[in-house]
Amino acid sequence: MSTRQRSPDPLDATAVRRRLHRRPEIGFLEIETADLAWGVLADLGWQLRGGGDLVDVSSHPGVPSRDELDAAVQRAAARGVPAASVHRFRDGNTAFVAELRGARPGPLVALRVDMDALPIQESGSSSHHPAAQGFGSSIDGAMHACGHDGHVAIALRAAALLSDRQFPGTVRLLFQPAEEGVRGAAPMVAAGLVDDVDVLLAVHLGFGTPDGCVAAATELYGTSKLRAEFTGVAAHASGAPEEGRSALLAAASAVLGLHALPRYATATTRVNVGTLHAPGAANIVNARAVLGAEIRADGAAEHDDLERRARDVIHGAAAMHGVTVDIARTGWATSASTDSAVLTRIETLAPSCGLRLLPPRPLRASDDATLFMRHVQERGGLAGYLLVGSGTYGPHHSPTFDLDEAVLAPAADLLAAFIRSRCPF
């Protein structure tokens, strides 16, 4: 049994980031990550709520398998995570909320903090900084390849700075699992965790933003992630092929049909089939196949129409081959934009934190922080999605991804300054 490590100093954002980078956890399995953040915030005096009573993901189609959930529990326990935390965060219930009330009245400002890693094997090359400095991933097949370890480090430093309560209103930190696959935000929104929020901010490191700069993101695409499970009839591929109904052929037809979907003159769109699994053998008419696909669009109407067409293609392929298909939407995000009042305040504060505000920049990707943003904005609140420059290392979602740790403290300082300021909201 491993002994649990002491919590890192939250003001040392680099140390926090490196600790998290060594122990990456895939979406809905972030038990050790959530426990580290929970422990730091408890020591700082923040009020904490978490576990299945806060956000229930038991029926979420994007939750990992029972075997993966149990393995995460065993791994966390072996690492010395206290039994109370293991119990709190097991079964995919890794979302939690930390809240602190300031010294005077003011708005409720929420910060979205995504925690999950990706199923990528990190580079062990001596030219890869984490490997060379000894904080590369210690978990095979998992890696922080999108900067979420940095996001948690930024949030914890900001929380430490704000623990003197010298700010107006209330701060709520939304620690979100499973941003990858856009799975984690929807259950938190459904649980009412942003119903009373006046201002919501999300921060993402990188995406080509120059070092020392901050910008609002544009072109945040709405997206749907679809899992289609085809069920056919197995048969001998030579002795009785006419008795079989091939789930694999149906899924393969769906792949081609999805990639042939027409695009739109009124929006930027994307379609991709990323996985296709069909267990069996060469001499069997395959009876089961599972396809994973995504669609994206920067317009809400186009996104909805594209998803409808994608479902039609999948159902049509199943009908053509005489099999059945079940389609589940395992994750989704919408499009959103930063409010001008948020940008004005960031422009005023950024120089004092060592950052320069750039004009809005395209993200050309999806993030379910947009579900929080849209929910807050529809209730009369304000929202912002900020990109912070963090170096030009390996690309996002690659084995060589890394970030410039020098930007972590300024980003946290900017968030703390935003919350301390006399917001015109």
Side-chain angles (χ1 to χ4, degrees):
M1 179 72 70
S2 298
T3 302
R4 187 190 191 200
Q5 293 178 272
R6 285 184 60 186
S7 295
D9 177 3
L11 291 172
D12 187 348
T14 294
V16 174
R17 183 257 170 165
R18 293 188 177 191
R19 172 88 162 264
L20 294 168
H21 194 88
R22 278 191 54 78
R23 303 294 303 175
E25 296 171 297
I26 307 303
F28 290 123
L29 306 178
E30 311 96 327
I31 297 174
E32 192 173 342
T33 303
D35 171 68
L36 183 147
W38 181 284
V40 167
L41 291 161
D43 290 343
L44 292 172
W46 287 61
Q47 294 183 334
L48 301 169
R49 295 179 290 150
D53 292 338
L54 179 70
V55 179
D56 182 8
V57 299
S58 59
S59 61
H60 195 301
V63 170
S65 69
R66 183 73 260 167
D67 287 347
E68 291 172 298
L69 293 170
D70 290 344
V73 165
Q74 295 167 10
R75 185 168 56 244
R79 287 282 297 173
V81 174
S85 276
V86 174
H87 179 75
R88 179 184 302 114
F89 298 127
R90 67 179 301 142
D91 298 331
N93 296 310
T94 49
F96 78 93
V97 167
E99 194 163 292
L100 191 69
R101 186 179 298 276
R104 55 192 185 277
L108 172 51
V109 180
L111 306 179
R112 193 291 300 264
V113 189
D114 44 1
M115 302 184 288
D116 57 321
L118 283 153
I120 292 174
Q121 185 67 41
E122 184 164 15
S123 171
S125 169
S126 59
S127 62
H128 181 54
H129 184 67
Q133 295 298 313
F135 65 93
S137 171
S138 63
I139 299 179
D140 286 341
M143 175 192 174
H144 272 294
C146 201
H148 298 184
D149 50 347
H151 300 169
V152 176
I154 289 168
L156 293 181
R157 176 180 167 86
L161 294 172
L162 293 166
S163 292
D164 61 5
R165 301 177 185 261
Q166 296 305 306
F167 58 87
T170 300
V171 183
R172 179 178 298 164
L173 305 180
L174 302 163
F175 283 86
Q176 180 202 319
E179 186 282 323
E180 304 297 350
V182 290
R183 295 170 290 160
M188 297 179 74
V189 172
L193 299 182
V194 291
D195 285 356
D196 54 349
V197 169
D198 298 302
V199 185
L200 183 132
L201 290 180
V203 172
H204 208 299
L205 295 166
F207 281 102
T209 308
D211 279 359
C213 297
V214 59
T218 62
E219 297 187 41
L220 283 153
Y221 296 160
T223 185
S224 291
K225 314 301 184 188
L226 303 177
R227 183 179 66 216
E229 184 168 349
F230 296 82
T231 303
V233 178
H236 193 291
S238 179
E242 74 282 0
E243 296 179 10
R245 297 291 182 269
S246 177
L248 176 55
L249 284 180
S253 297
V255 171
L256 297 177
L258 288 168
H259 279 275
L261 280 169
R263 304 306 188 255
Y264 295 75
T266 54
T268 300
T269 57
R270 301 281 192 274
V271 177
N272 187 61
V273 177
T275 62
L276 177 57
H277 301 286
N283 62 349
I284 300 172
V285 175
N286 188 279
R288 182 175 181 271
V290 180
L291 176 156
E294 67 166 17
I295 60 100
R296 305 186 196 230
D298 63 355
E302 290 84 356
H303 170 271
D304 293 346
D305 184 59
L306 191 59
E307 181 174 351
R308 179 188 59 77
R309 293 189 185 198
R311 289 174 179 269
D312 287 347
V313 164
I314 294 169
H315 283 295
M320 181 170 63
H321 289 274
V323 306
T324 61
V325 65
D326 291 318
I327 304 174
R329 187 164 72 170
T330 61
W332 73 289
T334 187
S335 54
S337 59
T338 298
D339 288 294
S340 59
V342 172
L343 269 185
T344 299
R345 183 49 51 106
I346 293 295
E347 183 177 23
T348 301
L349 298 170
S352 64
C353 300
L355 296 169
R356 180 166 63 92
L357 182 68
L358 296 179
R361 298 171 60 83
L363 182 67
R364 299 194 180 98
S366 304
D367 189 324
D368 57 359
T370 53
L371 299 180
F372 291 122
M373 295 172 66
R374 180 68 66 85
H375 194 81
V376 170
Q377 290 169 327
E378 287 176 347
R379 283 158 176 72
L382 301 173
Y385 190 104
L386 304 178
L387 298 172
V388 179
S390 60
T392 55
Y393 305 99
H396 289 262
H397 294 207
S398 81
T400 57
F401 175 82
D402 193 19
L403 54 86
D404 183 355
E405 294 165 331
V407 77
L408 300 176
D413 297 349
L414 177 60
L415 293 178
F418 184 93
I419 291 164
R420 288 193 196 280
S421 64
R422 300 182 64 86
C423 300
F425 309 128

